[in-house]
Amino acid sequence: MSEIETTPPVEKKKRNKGQFVFKEYIINQELSIGQKVGTDALLVAGYTCIAKYKPYNLLKGNENSKNNQLNKLVFEEPDTPYDYNQGKNHNEIINYDEEQEEEKEGNEIWPKYILDIGTGTNVLSIMMGQRFKKSIINSIDIDDSAIAQAKINIDTIFKQGKSITDRNYLFHTAIQDFKPNNFITTTTTTTTTTTNNNNNKDDHNVILKHVHGIDLEKNEITIPLLLKQGKSYTPSIDGYYDLIISAPPYFPTDPVNDLVVSNMQKNRRVARHTHTLTMDDLVQSVKRLLRPDIGLFTTIVSVPDPAFDLELAAKNHGFICLEIIDVSDTPQSKIIRKMYTFKLPSISINNNNNNNNQNNNINSNENSKTCFTYGETVKRKFAIYETSIKESTIRNHRKHSNQYKWMLNDFCNHFLKEEFLTK
């Protein structure tokens, strides 16, 4: 009687927890920050980058745009087998803005300005910078160690000569206190020596600096280039962002009454618990900063809390929920996260204007170019893995779903090792 051959379980390769490796760059996370790169960040960034609801994709005749094709692949045809050969080709991307590639007359850049609330390692902003190649990105965090780590990642990738973080600008403040046009005038002095009489000459340069702006090494190069183009590194003219993304803290605990939380390391507590940023705080801040009608707000939260609080706050502040993605561990398991796309119709601003920007005028001509309709919320499902950990043939690892791999194809390569796994 012949013996049945069996394939022994494959050990999961230990990875450096101080780094997260992407196709084009490495995110360093060795500093003691509260939140490292995790599944939530990858999901909300990948989902946001599809950009199904950007104006171009909603125009008649653009149903088969690259973005819409990927959206269909991920959410309407989730069983489509993933093409590992395409995944291994780092030079070929499947999701981009063909209207910007073609540079046809009348094509507008969207989003012009992106805001990342609670940036942490800066992973969301860096993924946005890779995907939206002409957008200016503002990244905000309240935590000192997060700012220090984000600064390292931005400058490191910039020094590698990649056009990913060159448009990324970092701010150290709570989102409740952030104003895009809060600049101060500073003076720098440069001393030069004349060749004739060896006298020193002082040149005084007046520059504008944001109150909460962080001095990045790359800013010495990128900010002067922006100024020459007549641009600002924040939307200082009207104070509005076209896209706001956030993976916010979502444990609704009180550090005053909860000893476990109060004894937790401060940066970890701030990153994970809502006592410094409630869902109502988040939504109010987004309402103040999001461009009405064509601006989008995307986020991910746990269920049932604070998903219920987020939905209630969004409704109370006049937002419309365009889409909800129910995220589960496997296709058969319960919902563990929800991803959202919200927009803010100008009518809600006009009825209850709490916007504190200096210029709150809405350009009706610009808004009329889009064909957004306020219908029922679209609901989709998304599974992270194909199987549970018990069903997996690789120890301490599971095969990711086709949805997951298609959505993150342009960014990640950690799932390419799954090519020959049956489960």
Side-chain angles (χ1 to χ4, degrees):
M1 185 175 179
S2 62
E3 295 183 1
I4 299 175
E5 293 184 0
T6 59
T7 303
V10 181
E11 291 284 354
K12 180 181 179 182
K13 183 179 179 181
K14 291 184 179 180
R15 65 179 177 88
N16 182 357
K17 293 185 178 180
Q19 294 181 332
F20 195 100
V21 180
F22 288 81
K23 282 185 175 181
E24 293 195 31
Y25 43 81
I26 293 175
I27 299 294
N28 292 290
Q29 50 187 14
E30 68 275 4
L31 298 182
S32 180
I33 63 168
Q35 189 73 41
K36 298 182 184 294
V37 177
T39 302
D40 284 6
L42 297 180
L43 291 182
V44 72
Y47 169 61
T48 302
C49 286
I50 294 177
K52 166 187 174 181
Y53 289 101
K54 79 171 189 176
Y56 178 84
N57 291 329
L58 297 174
L59 294 174
K60 292 181 180 179
N62 294 339
E63 293 83 0
N64 291 320
S65 69
K66 291 291 183 182
N67 307 155
N68 286 334
Q69 287 180 37
L70 181 58
N71 180 76
K72 183 178 180 180
L73 193 61
V74 173
F75 294 110
E76 297 178 23
E77 301 172 352
D79 296 327
T80 302
Y82 178 66
D83 186 347
Y84 286 96
N85 289 327
Q86 190 161 29
K88 294 173 185 176
N89 186 352
H90 290 195
N91 296 322
E92 183 179 354
I93 60 174
I94 62 175
N95 188 38
Y96 59 90
D97 300 317
E98 62 261 53
E99 76 276 16
Q100 291 184 23
E101 296 284 337
E102 296 170 1
E103 296 184 352
K104 291 181 179 179
E105 185 178 353
N107 288 338
E108 296 185 359
I109 296 174
W110 187 99
K112 292 180 180 178
Y113 287 94
I114 301 173
L115 177 64
D116 172 14
I117 301 175
T119 192
T121 61
N122 203 239
V123 63
L124 296 185
S125 293
I126 291 171
M127 292 177 73
M128 294 299 108
Q130 178 186 344
R131 165 64 178 86
F132 299 107
K133 300 185 182 302
K134 296 184 180 181
S135 303
I136 296 174
I137 303 161
N138 292 175
S139 314
I140 294 178
D141 208 293
I142 194 175
D143 180 63
D144 294 344
S145 60
I147 291 295
Q149 187 69 82
K151 182 177 180 180
I152 291 172
N153 286 326
I154 293 170
D155 280 330
T156 299
I157 295 174
F158 178 78
K159 290 175 183 177
Q160 293 170 355
K162 297 175 181 178
S163 181
I164 294 176
T165 62
D166 54 315
R167 293 156 285 112
N168 194 333
Y169 298 91
L170 189 60
F171 302 86
H172 188 188
T173 183
I175 186 59
Q176 297 95 319
D177 300 326
F178 178 72
K179 296 179 181 178
N181 42 30
N182 194 4
F183 284 86
I184 57 174
T185 302
T186 60
T187 303
T188 61
T189 302
T190 303
T191 302
T192 58
T193 302
T194 59
T195 56
N196 294 332
N197 52 18
N198 294 325
N199 291 330
N200 292 333
K201 178 183 178 182
D202 291 338
D203 294 325
H204 301 284
N205 301 312
V206 179
I207 60 173
L208 289 177
K209 181 180 178 181
H210 195 277
V211 171
H212 301 295
I214 296 297
D215 291 327
L216 301 167
E217 291 182 45
K218 63 125 190 130
N219 286 0
E220 296 180 6
I221 298 173
T222 60
I223 290 180
L225 290 176
L226 276 179
L227 295 177
K228 286 183 179 179
Q229 298 170 8
K231 298 178 182 178
S232 171
Y233 62 89
T234 72
S236 56
I237 296 177
D238 60 11
Y240 288 127
Y241 292 87
D242 303 302
L243 175 61
I244 299 179
I245 183 173
S246 181
Y250 47 67
F251 291 117
T253 48
D254 183 0
V256 176
N257 299 318
D258 191 321
L259 292 179
V260 175
V261 177
S262 63
N263 291 328
M264 190 178 293
Q265 191 174 358
K266 181 182 177 182
N267 52 10
R268 188 172 180 84
R269 184 174 69 240
V270 169
R272 296 196 170 199
H273 298 264
T274 61
H275 60 286
T276 58
L277 183 67
T278 67
M279 291 298 103
D280 196 70
D281 290 336
L282 175 63
V283 171
Q284 283 196 62
S285 298
V286 172
K287 181 176 183 178
R288 177 170 58 87
L289 296 165
L290 185 67
R291 186 177 303 282
D293 292 321
I294 65 172
L296 298 176
F297 169 47
T298 60
T299 189
I300 184 170
V301 294
S302 63
V303 295
D305 295 320
F308 177 80
D309 294 335
L310 174 67
E311 292 179 18
L312 180 62
K315 182 179 179 181
N316 289 342
H317 288 287
F319 283 81
I320 289 175
C321 184
L322 298 176
E323 188 170 60
I324 298 176
I325 308 297
D326 291 334
V327 180
S328 60
D329 195 56
T330 66
Q332 295 77 31
S333 62
K334 65 180 181 180
I335 300 170
I336 55 174
R337 298 284 188 272
K338 284 181 180 287
M339 292 192 289
Y340 297 87
T341 296
F342 293 102
K343 70 178 302 184
L344 184 65
S346 54
I347 186 172
S348 67
I349 297 289
N350 295 332
N351 290 342
N352 184 18
N353 194 338
N354 292 321
N355 197 310
N356 295 321
N357 296 307
Q358 290 183 351
N359 185 350
N360 296 327
N361 295 326
I362 299 171
N363 189 330
S364 58
N365 291 330
E366 181 181 25
N367 295 335
S368 65
K369 295 178 182 178
T370 66
C371 58
F372 283 116
T373 56
Y374 304 140
E376 294 184 0
T377 301
V378 175
K379 295 185 179 181
R380 303 287 190 189
K381 294 182 179 181
F382 185 96
I384 303 172
Y385 299 100
E386 286 187 10
T387 61
S388 66
I389 193 69
K390 291 181 179 180
E391 298 170 313
S392 177
T393 57
I394 182 170
R395 188 172 297 167
N396 299 323
H397 184 83
R398 289 178 284 170
K399 190 173 184 179
H400 289 87
S401 68
N402 291 313
Q403 286 181 290
Y404 181 94
K405 287 176 282 197
W406 279 121
M407 189 170 75
L408 293 171
N409 174 82
D410 294 348
F411 303 100
C412 300
N413 55 15
H414 59 273
F415 44 72
L416 296 180
K417 61 190 174 189
E418 301 169 357
E419 181 175 4
F420 300 108
L421 296 179
T422 56
K423 289 185 179 181

